[in-house]
Amino acid sequence: MPGAARFMLMTVVVFQTLPGAQRSRAGSRPDARPEHPPVEARNEAGCISCHAEVVSRRVMHGPAAAGQCATCHVVGSAAGRRRIVLKGGASSRDTAALCVTCHQEIRDRLEQKHRHAPVAAGNCTACHDPHGSPFRFQLPAEGNRACTTCHEDIAQALAQDHVHAPAAASCQICHDPHGASSPAQLRTAGNAVCLACHVDVPVDASVVEGGFMFGRRPAEGIERLIATGPRILLDGSLVSGHPTIAHPVDARPDPSARGRTLGCASCHNPHGSAGAKLLRFGAKGVSSLCIKCHSF
């Protein structure tokens, strides 16, 4: 084969393997799906005659339960064919702008500094089925299993011998599932989320009020958890006093994690651990934990 022809052939082969070329060819393929049948205005009964599975779930999205498909869907077109699409140009992987037109109570959380990854991507349907599911809030599983489906490290912690009672009850007690101003979507910053349940302090010390932190509709059983949680005694500044007098619990560098501030989670796993008192590092007792930082 002449050199020029061989060069041209190699150029074509290389171009066809480039990601952009692959996308270009994929984008040029005709949509093989059949055209959607004509839709009469506001004829939701016509939708259900084909999509009966959408209205047969135990927990239904309000518009789907009422047969109001047009709340979220409109008739559109793609490649010259009739299609049923989401309002406002939303896609199945970016629905947040459409969802908050009704769910305005979560709008502010979608703008928080620390957001759940699907929320940050606008992908509400990663956690909520837009039509319905067998579980509350149209989640893909009941309770914490909706979270641990993705957060496998937390699933492992919750399988340990000793599990934090709120973590076993509901992830939402400590974390906002959409977004918050604090890292890890904690409902308040630093140790305060722990101290709301676990601290006994002088009456003049300022502590986050549990009822305020957990919102107007706190998770079921939160009052019992607050009342029965083990207590620690700190000084009035709330930065020292546990596990011994003058031992710091805040406002110091964490010797076990460079770049982090010392806190409750420096010594305790807030989800679960093999040792009692939720001790970290596989420690089965206080002494074996202390030597992680205090070597002699």
Side-chain angles (χ1 to χ4, degrees), residues 190-191 235 237-242 244-267 293-294:
N191 287 345
D235 62 25
S237 68
L238 302 182
V239 298
S240 65
H242 178 75
T244 62
I245 295 174
H247 188 281
V249 296
D250 202 351
R252 296 276 189 91
D254 186 341
S256 67
R258 183 175 298 178
R260 289 175 50 180
T261 301
L262 190 70
C264 301
S266 299
C267 299
C293 298
H294 301 282

Side-chain angles (χ1 to χ4, degrees), residues 8-67:
M8 291 179 65
L9 177 61
M10 291 177 63
T11 301
V12 170
V13 170
V14 170
F15 173 77
Q16 289 181 340
T17 61
L18 293 175
Q22 298 286 348
R23 288 194 298 269
S24 177
R25 291 205 308 276
S28 64
R29 293 172 186 161
D31 190 339
R33 293 177 299 165
E35 185 172 44
H36 195 280
V39 177
E40 296 181 17
R42 312 297 297 180
N43 182 17
E44 281 78 12
C47 302
I48 295 170
S49 65
C50 292
H51 301 285
E53 77 285 353
V54 168
V55 294
S56 61
R57 296 157 188 175
R58 187 175 73 87
V59 180
M60 296 293 302
H61 188 205

Side-chain angles (χ1 to χ4, degrees), residues 155-216:
Q156 294 174 5
L158 295 179
Q160 297 296 320
D161 293 337
H162 301 272
V163 177
H164 191 205
S170 173
C171 302
Q172 296 186 48
I173 291 175
C174 299
H175 303 274
D176 189 296
H178 298 102
S181 59
S182 303
Q185 299 146 238
L186 287 172
R187 293 192 177 275
T188 188
N191 287 345
V193 72
C194 304
L195 301 185
C197 297
H198 293 293
V199 69
D200 282 330
V201 295
V203 293
D204 58 346
S206 175
V207 183
V208 172
E209 168 59 39
F212 171 78
M213 185 180 78
F214 300 123
R216 291 176 299 174

